[in-house]
Every structure is written in structure tokens, then in C-alpha cells.
Amino acid sequence: MLKGKSALITGSTSGIGLSIARHLAAQGCNIMLNGFGDPVVIEQKRTAIEKEFNVRASYHGADMSKLAEISDMMNAATQQFNNIDILVNNVGTQHTAPVDQFPVEKWDLILSLNLSSAFHTIRHALPMMKQNGWGRIINTASVHGLVASVNKAAYVAAKHGLVGLTKVVALETAGQGITCNAFCPGWTHTELIEPQIMTRASEVGGAFEDGVRSLLSEKQPSKQLVKVEQLAQLVVFLCSGAADQITGVSIPVDGGWTAQ
Ligand code: NAD
């Protein structure tokens, strides 16, 4: 069904983005990866996708906080694949501090990466999608796109903004074969959160699983981490024909966090 489509996934050299890239490749999509990391390791991940799934996979190292680099990446993807059929705005970063002590440069970075980068990729990709009469835009938001937590002013503001952008793009593209949706993960098992879990595990004097239970008991009723594969499978579903009429929604995948 998705065979031969092209997919650009921002922030896809690790974690949720890499899993989305691999799952879309498994459906036959050609992939453009983006993100930071050791060039040798990134090249291994890129070639693994090509070999395992028999698709084309390329990589662009655009810093998603820099407008000129985003434009360069969008042009490169368009030249390479003729199209961008599926756009996953996944890049994101976090910093925690009380709002009156929040470093201004961190505020600017979080807003540019977690929100503005999606505006820029979408405005580049939409004319092609409109011309083709088909497109999928999927934004990685967060439970923090729906509810707030202390010390996360920039992240919560950016992710709420991303949920709002998702709705506007959905309305402006409705009936044109294009959908725009977001998904909103709770605590998800990526390398990013392992240090926080290990710190908590040592505080409660237990193992990794005890750290998970303690950390998640504050917010995530299931007390279980979301798996990156579960998010990636949701993205594949949102790209399918079954999801043609799903647009403008932000789907929580949070073990009950936002049901409270
Ligand atoms: P991650 O750190 O594994 O992934 C982040 C990706 O973004 C990496 O590929 C990294 O290289 C890339 N990146 C960072 N700065 C960049 C920049 N300036 N330019 C280009 N690429 C850059 O983290 P993750 O947990 O997989 O997070 C992915 C998304 O999921 C983020 O938007 C995050 O806010 C969201 N999210 C994560 C969780 C969680 O618990 N892990 C929960 C909710 C939402």
C-alpha cells in the first residue's frame, strides 16, 4: 500500500523517529533520515534500512533549528524522491526549569525545534502533496501537547502549539487527499529517559523496573513505558487508507495519563 512512497522523518537517528523510519521502510517506503550523532553509526543505520527492507534510504544532517538547513534538506528530499509523500515532524528537545528561571536561549531552541521546524517542513511539502492529491503529515507531539507539568514551560508551550498547527493544517487540506495528525506519547522507552529511570531506581533502592514504576506512578496510570514500536505502528496506520478520514486529531498514547 505504501510501496514506493517517500517519507521524510525529522529527528530519526535514534528513538521514536528511527523506529518510525524502520516501520515505514518495512511497508516499502523510501526514507530520508535526519538527526545528529556519530556519522559512522548513522551510516550503519541508513544501510541497515536499505538492506533489510530493500528500499532507498538517505540521510540529511540539517540542524532543524536553522531555517537555511531545513530548506536545503527539503530541496534534497524533493530532488531525490521527486516527492515527499509522508512527512513526520518528530524532532524535539527538552529542558526543565521554573518559568522565571528558564534560560532564554533554551526557550528559543525548544520553540524552534519542537514547533517552528514543523511549520517550515509543512510549508515546503504541502504544495507537492496538493499537486499529487495525496499526503500524510504526522507530528510527534506529547502528552504535554494536551496537559501541563511544572518546569516545562517551553516544551508544553511548543507541544500545545504543535497540536494547534496540526488542526489548522488538517482544516486547510481537508478533502484534498491529505491528512495531518499528531500523536501524544507519555513516558516512552528511549535512550533519552534511561538515565532518569536509573537515577530513580537508585533513589528507591531497586532495579530498572522499580525505577520505571516509581517514576511513572506520578503520572502514567499503566505504570508501563510506551514502546517506540507501538508509536511507529500508529504512524503506519495513520498513513493507511483506513485512516483517510482521520485528520486534525492528536492521539494520546500514554497509559491513561490524560484520562485523569
Ligand atoms: P531522541 O533524543 O532519541 O530523538 C531525538 C532526535 O532528534 C535524534 O535523532 C536527534 O539526533 C535529533 N535532534 C536533536 N536535535 C536536533 C537538531 N537540532 N536538528 C536535527 N535533529 C536533531 O528522543 P525521542 O524520545 O525519540 O524523541 C523524539 C520525539 O518524541 C521528540 O519530539 C520528543 O519531544 C517526543 N516525545 C518523547 C517522549 C519520550 O518519553 N521519549 C514522550 C513524548 C514525546
Side-chain angles (χ1 to χ4, degrees):
M1 174 198 58
L2 298 177
K3 199 169 169 49
K5 302 271 191 214
S6 56
L8 168 62
I9 305 101
T10 71
S12 51
T13 51
S14 64
I16 296 167
L18 180 62
S19 185
I20 292 170
R22 290 179 54 80
H23 278 73
L24 288 173
Q27 299 297 314
C29 292
N30 297 313
I31 299 294
M32 181 172 271
L33 297 172
N34 157 258
F36 293 162
D38 179 339
V40 175
V41 177
I42 293 173
E43 180 57 11
Q44 283 166 355
K45 290 173 177 169
R46 187 192 70 74
T47 53
I49 290 175
E50 287 198 331
K51 281 192 195 130
E52 281 177 55
F53 306 115
N54 195 27
V55 297
R56 285 162 65 202
S58 60
Y59 164 73
H60 195 290
D63 179 337
M64 295 302 294
S65 66
K66 301 209 162 77
L67 184 50
E69 295 188 27
I70 296 174
S71 301
D72 191 62
M73 179 186 71
M74 299 306 286
N75 290 336
T78 311
Q79 270 176 8
Q80 199 153 359
F81 300 128
N82 293 322
N83 268 323
I84 299 171
D85 298 302
I86 298 169
L87 170 64
V88 184
N89 291 303
N90 175 73
V91 70
T93 189
Q94 172 67 287
H95 182 83
T96 55
V99 67
D100 53 346
Q101 293 160 34
F102 212 90
V104 170
E105 65 283 3
K106 289 288 184 194
W107 171 274
D108 288 343
L109 178 67
I110 291 171
L111 267 288
S112 74
L113 274 186
N114 297 25
L115 177 57
S116 299
S117 73
F119 162 66
H120 293 304
T121 57
I122 290 169
R123 71 187 173 81
H124 272 95
L126 258 188
M128 276 176 284
M129 291 179 175
K130 285 182 178 167
Q131 209 173 349
N132 296 332
W134 197 91
R136 291 287 189 264
I137 300 169
I138 296 163
N139 299 321
T140 305
S142 162
V143 283
H144 287 113
L146 305 171
V147 294
S149 295
V150 293
N151 296 333
K152 296 186 176 174
Y155 190 82
V156 169
K159 294 294 192 185
H160 273 70
L162 190 58
V163 166
L165 176 65
T166 302
K167 293 178 187 174
V168 174
V169 174
L171 292 177
E172 291 185 7
T173 56
Q176 298 178 60
I178 300 165
T179 66
C180 180
N181 294 293
F183 64 93
C184 300
W187 284 104
T188 302
H189 194 173
T190 64
E191 283 170 30
L192 198 72
I193 67 161
E194 279 183 10
Q196 291 175 72
I197 293 170
M198 291 317 294
T199 305
R200 183 59 69 96
S202 66
E203 280 166 15
V204 298
F208 184 84
E209 288 308 323
D210 303 302
V212 169
R213 263 192 300 278
S214 169
L215 199 61
L216 271 58
S217 63
E218 291 166 8
K219 299 269 186 178
Q220 196 151 307
S222 68
K223 299 194 186 68
Q224 292 162 349
L225 291 168
V226 179
K227 296 186 171 84
V228 291
E229 296 78 13
Q230 294 165 339
L231 299 172
Q233 283 168 18
L234 175 60
V235 169
V236 169
F237 169 71
L238 288 172
C239 291
S240 74
D244 272 352
Q245 294 304 318
I246 300 177
T247 193
V249 301
S250 296
I251 302 171
V253 186
D254 63 3
W257 182 327
T258 52
Q260 295 169 101

mmCIF file of all heavy atoms in Angstrom, residues 106-130:
data_model
loop_
_atom_site.group_PDB
_atom_site.id
_atom_site.type_symbol
_atom_site.label_atom_id
_atom_site.label_comp_id
_atom_site.label_asym_id
_atom_site.label_seq_id
_atom_site.Cartn_x
_atom_site.Cartn_y
_atom_site.Cartn_z
ATOM 1 N N LYS A 106 17.351 28.509 25.823
ATOM 2 C CA LYS A 106 16.682 27.192 25.815
ATOM 3 C C LYS A 106 15.243 27.342 25.328
ATOM 4 O O LYS A 106 14.728 26.495 24.602
ATOM 5 C CB LYS A 106 16.693 26.574 27.218
ATOM 6 C CG LYS A 106 18.063 26.110 27.676
ATOM 7 C CD LYS A 106 18.507 24.865 26.930
ATOM 8 C CE LYS A 106 19.834 24.361 27.456
ATOM 9 N NZ LYS A 106 20.459 23.378 26.559
ATOM 10 N N TRP A 107 14.582 28.405 25.768
ATOM 11 C CA TRP A 107 13.213 28.688 25.280
ATOM 12 C C TRP A 107 13.217 28.783 23.751
ATOM 13 O O TRP A 107 12.432 28.133 23.063
ATOM 14 C CB TRP A 107 12.685 29.986 25.900
ATOM 15 C CG TRP A 107 11.388 30.444 25.283
ATOM 16 C CD1 TRP A 107 11.247 31.216 24.160
ATOM 17 C CD2 TRP A 107 10.054 30.123 25.713
ATOM 18 N NE1 TRP A 107 9.912 31.393 23.867
ATOM 19 C CE2 TRP A 107 9.155 30.743 24.798
ATOM 20 C CE3 TRP A 107 9.520 29.388 26.768
ATOM 21 C CZ2 TRP A 107 7.779 30.648 24.914
ATOM 22 C CZ3 TRP A 107 8.135 29.292 26.880
ATOM 23 C CH2 TRP A 107 7.276 29.901 25.971
ATOM 24 N N ASP A 108 14.159 29.581 23.227
ATOM 25 C CA ASP A 108 14.213 29.789 21.774
ATOM 26 C C ASP A 108 14.489 28.471 21.045
ATOM 27 O O ASP A 108 13.877 28.179 20.017
ATOM 28 C CB ASP A 108 15.296 30.819 21.417
ATOM 29 C CG ASP A 108 14.887 32.231 21.814
ATOM 30 O OD1 ASP A 108 13.689 32.466 22.047
ATOM 31 O OD2 ASP A 108 15.778 33.099 21.906
ATOM 32 N N LEU A 109 15.410 27.676 21.573
ATOM 33 C CA LEU A 109 15.766 26.410 20.915
ATOM 34 C C LEU A 109 14.571 25.445 20.915
ATOM 35 O O LEU A 109 14.254 24.829 19.890
ATOM 36 C CB LEU A 109 16.972 25.751 21.616
ATOM 37 C CG LEU A 109 17.386 24.402 21.026
ATOM 38 C CD1 LEU A 109 17.935 24.571 19.605
ATOM 39 C CD2 LEU A 109 18.425 23.704 21.908
ATOM 40 N N ILE A 110 13.915 25.321 22.059
ATOM 41 C CA ILE A 110 12.791 24.370 22.161
ATOM 42 C C ILE A 110 11.646 24.791 21.237
ATOM 43 O O ILE A 110 11.073 23.963 20.528
ATOM 44 C CB ILE A 110 12.334 24.225 23.631
ATOM 45 C CG1 ILE A 110 13.421 23.492 24.432
ATOM 46 C CG2 ILE A 110 11.000 23.487 23.725
ATOM 47 C CD1 ILE A 110 13.203 23.460 25.929
ATOM 48 N N LEU A 111 11.357 26.092 21.205
ATOM 49 C CA LEU A 111 10.287 26.564 20.304
ATOM 50 C C LEU A 111 10.664 26.328 18.843
ATOM 51 O O LEU A 111 9.837 25.925 18.036
ATOM 52 C CB LEU A 111 9.993 28.046 20.556
ATOM 53 C CG LEU A 111 8.863 28.380 21.545
ATOM 54 C CD1 LEU A 111 7.502 28.069 20.935
ATOM 55 C CD2 LEU A 111 8.982 27.646 22.875
ATOM 56 N N SER A 112 11.934 26.547 18.505
ATOM 57 C CA SER A 112 12.312 26.394 17.095
ATOM 58 C C SER A 112 12.329 24.923 16.693
ATOM 59 O O SER A 112 11.857 24.573 15.616
ATOM 60 C CB SER A 112 13.651 27.077 16.788
ATOM 61 O OG SER A 112 14.711 26.330 17.311
ATOM 62 N N LEU A 113 12.839 24.057 17.549
ATOM 63 C CA LEU A 113 12.921 22.631 17.187
ATOM 64 C C LEU A 113 11.561 21.941 17.261
ATOM 65 O O LEU A 113 11.181 21.199 16.357
ATOM 66 C CB LEU A 113 13.875 21.892 18.134
ATOM 67 C CG LEU A 113 15.364 21.881 17.807
ATOM 68 C CD1 LEU A 113 16.093 20.989 18.783
ATOM 69 C CD2 LEU A 113 15.617 21.440 16.381
ATOM 70 N N ASN A 114 10.843 22.155 18.368
ATOM 71 C CA ASN A 114 9.619 21.384 18.628
ATOM 72 C C ASN A 114 8.397 21.943 17.919
ATOM 73 O O ASN A 114 7.386 21.260 17.818
ATOM 74 C CB ASN A 114 9.327 21.328 20.136
ATOM 75 C CG ASN A 114 10.402 20.615 20.932
ATOM 76 O OD1 ASN A 114 11.549 20.559 20.514
ATOM 77 N ND2 ASN A 114 10.060 20.078 22.084
ATOM 78 N N LEU A 115 8.474 23.207 17.455
ATOM 79 C CA LEU A 115 7.298 23.800 16.817
ATOM 80 C C LEU A 115 7.620 24.419 15.451
ATOM 81 O O LEU A 115 7.087 23.993 14.427
ATOM 82 C CB LEU A 115 6.674 24.859 17.743
ATOM 83 C CG LEU A 115 5.477 25.629 17.186
ATOM 84 C CD1 LEU A 115 4.347 24.691 16.765
ATOM 85 C CD2 LEU A 115 4.964 26.641 18.215
ATOM 86 N N SER A 116 8.548 25.378 15.421
ATOM 87 C CA SER A 116 8.764 26.112 14.160
ATOM 88 C C SER A 116 9.279 25.202 13.053
ATOM 89 O O SER A 116 8.941 25.392 11.877
ATOM 90 C CB SER A 116 9.742 27.271 14.375
ATOM 91 O OG SER A 116 9.215 28.169 15.311
ATOM 92 N N SER A 117 10.097 24.207 13.404
ATOM 93 C CA SER A 117 10.631 23.325 12.354
ATOM 94 C C SER A 117 9.491 22.626 11.609
ATOM 95 O O SER A 117 9.571 22.416 10.395
ATOM 96 C CB SER A 117 11.618 22.302 12.936
ATOM 97 O OG SER A 117 10.949 21.311 13.663
ATOM 98 N N ALA A 118 8.416 22.289 12.319
ATOM 99 C CA ALA A 118 7.270 21.628 11.668
ATOM 100 C C ALA A 118 6.560 22.585 10.714
ATOM 101 O O ALA A 118 6.148 22.188 9.620
ATOM 102 C CB ALA A 118 6.297 21.100 12.715
ATOM 103 N N PHE A 119 6.441 23.845 11.112
ATOM 104 C CA PHE A 119 5.851 24.851 10.211
ATOM 105 C C PHE A 119 6.667 24.930 8.921
ATOM 106 O O PHE A 119 6.107 24.936 7.814
ATOM 107 C CB PHE A 119 5.813 26.211 10.923
ATOM 108 C CG PHE A 119 5.634 27.382 10.004
ATOM 109 C CD1 PHE A 119 4.454 27.552 9.281
ATOM 110 C CD2 PHE A 119 6.647 28.320 9.846
ATOM 111 C CE1 PHE A 119 4.298 28.641 8.418
ATOM 112 C CE2 PHE A 119 6.498 29.401 8.990
ATOM 113 C CZ PHE A 119 5.320 29.563 8.274
ATOM 114 N N HIS A 120 7.997 24.939 9.061
ATOM 115 C CA HIS A 120 8.842 25.097 7.870
ATOM 116 C C HIS A 120 8.785 23.860 6.955
ATOM 117 O O HIS A 120 8.705 23.993 5.739
ATOM 118 C CB HIS A 120 10.284 25.398 8.281
ATOM 119 C CG HIS A 120 10.430 26.731 8.947
ATOM 120 N ND1 HIS A 120 10.017 27.904 8.355
ATOM 121 C CD2 HIS A 120 10.899 27.084 10.174
ATOM 122 C CE1 HIS A 120 10.247 28.923 9.178
ATOM 123 N NE2 HIS A 120 10.770 28.448 10.290
ATOM 124 N N THR A 121 8.834 22.664 7.546
ATOM 125 C CA THR A 121 8.781 21.466 6.688
ATOM 126 C C THR A 121 7.408 21.359 6.013
ATOM 127 O O THR A 121 7.314 21.027 4.836
ATOM 128 C CB THR A 121 9.065 20.176 7.480
ATOM 129 O OG1 THR A 121 8.128 20.076 8.554
ATOM 130 C CG2 THR A 121 10.486 20.135 8.009
ATOM 131 N N ILE A 122 6.359 21.676 6.765
ATOM 132 C CA ILE A 122 4.999 21.566 6.206
ATOM 133 C C ILE A 122 4.823 22.552 5.044
ATOM 134 O O ILE A 122 4.304 22.197 3.982
ATOM 135 C CB ILE A 122 3.931 21.804 7.301
ATOM 136 C CG1 ILE A 122 3.905 20.626 8.287
ATOM 137 C CG2 ILE A 122 2.544 22.006 6.681
ATOM 138 C CD1 ILE A 122 3.085 20.857 9.547
ATOM 139 N N ARG A 123 5.289 23.800 5.229
ATOM 140 C CA ARG A 123 5.048 24.774 4.142
ATOM 141 C C ARG A 123 5.850 24.399 2.892
ATOM 142 O O ARG A 123 5.440 24.690 1.782
ATOM 143 C CB ARG A 123 5.294 26.207 4.615
ATOM 144 C CG ARG A 123 6.705 26.589 4.862
ATOM 145 C CD ARG A 123 6.852 27.971 5.494
ATOM 146 N NE ARG A 123 8.252 28.163 5.842
ATOM 147 C CZ ARG A 123 9.189 28.541 4.979
ATOM 148 N NH1 ARG A 123 8.862 28.788 3.733
ATOM 149 N NH2 ARG A 123 10.445 28.660 5.367
ATOM 150 N N HIS A 124 6.974 23.703 3.069
ATOM 151 C CA HIS A 124 7.716 23.231 1.900
ATOM 152 C C HIS A 124 7.012 22.049 1.218
ATOM 153 O O HIS A 124 6.993 21.955 -0.002
ATOM 154 C CB HIS A 124 9.119 22.757 2.307
ATOM 155 C CG HIS A 124 10.151 23.838 2.309
ATOM 156 N ND1 HIS A 124 10.492 24.540 3.444
ATOM 157 C CD2 HIS A 124 10.918 24.335 1.324
ATOM 158 C CE1 HIS A 124 11.426 25.424 3.143
ATOM 159 N NE2 HIS A 124 11.705 25.320 1.868
ATOM 160 N N ALA A 125 6.496 21.133 2.028
ATOM 161 C CA ALA A 125 5.988 19.860 1.478
ATOM 162 C C ALA A 125 4.572 19.978 0.917
ATOM 163 O O ALA A 125 4.208 19.239 -0.010
ATOM 164 C CB ALA A 125 6.024 18.782 2.567
ATOM 165 N N LEU A 126 3.763 20.880 1.461
ATOM 166 C CA LEU A 126 2.335 20.901 1.101
ATOM 167 C C LEU A 126 2.038 21.126 -0.387
ATOM 168 O O LEU A 126 1.181 20.435 -0.946
ATOM 169 C CB LEU A 126 1.590 21.946 1.931
ATOM 170 C CG LEU A 126 0.780 21.403 3.107
ATOM 171 C CD1 LEU A 126 -0.059 22.510 3.718
ATOM 172 C CD2 LEU A 126 -0.104 20.236 2.705
ATOM 173 N N PRO A 127 2.732 22.067 -1.059
ATOM 174 C CA PRO A 127 2.396 22.261 -2.483
ATOM 175 C C PRO A 127 2.526 20.975 -3.288
ATOM 176 O O PRO A 127 1.672 20.676 -4.132
ATOM 177 C CB PRO A 127 3.414 23.318 -2.936
ATOM 178 C CG PRO A 127 3.744 24.080 -1.681
ATOM 179 C CD PRO A 127 3.717 23.056 -0.584
ATOM 180 N N MET A 128 3.571 20.162 -2.997
ATOM 181 C CA MET A 128 3.741 18.879 -3.709
ATOM 182 C C MET A 128 2.601 17.920 -3.381
ATOM 183 O O MET A 128 2.064 17.245 -4.255
ATOM 184 C CB MET A 128 5.051 18.202 -3.267
ATOM 185 C CG MET A 128 6.270 18.666 -3.985
ATOM 186 S SD MET A 128 7.718 17.854 -3.272
ATOM 187 C CE MET A 128 7.944 18.741 -1.742
ATOM 188 N N MET A 129 2.244 17.852 -2.101
ATOM 189 C CA MET A 129 1.160 16.949 -1.699
ATOM 190 C C MET A 129 -0.147 17.359 -2.370
ATOM 191 O O MET A 129 -0.916 16.509 -2.836
ATOM 192 C CB MET A 129 1.011 16.960 -0.166
ATOM 193 C CG MET A 129 2.173 16.324 0.574
ATOM 194 S SD MET A 129 1.935 16.403 2.364
ATOM 195 C CE MET A 129 3.362 15.466 2.936
ATOM 196 N N LYS A 130 -0.394 18.669 -2.424
ATOM 197 C CA LYS A 130 -1.638 19.155 -3.055
ATOM 198 C C LYS A 130 -1.664 18.793 -4.535
ATOM 199 O O LYS A 130 -2.691 18.368 -5.066
ATOM 200 C CB LYS A 130 -1.753 20.673 -2.879
ATOM 201 C CG LYS A 130 -2.147 21.075 -1.463
ATOM 202 C CD LYS A 130 -2.285 22.587 -1.352
ATOM 203 C CE LYS A 130 -2.721 22.992 0.047
ATOM 204 N NZ LYS A 130 -2.582 24.444 0.290
#
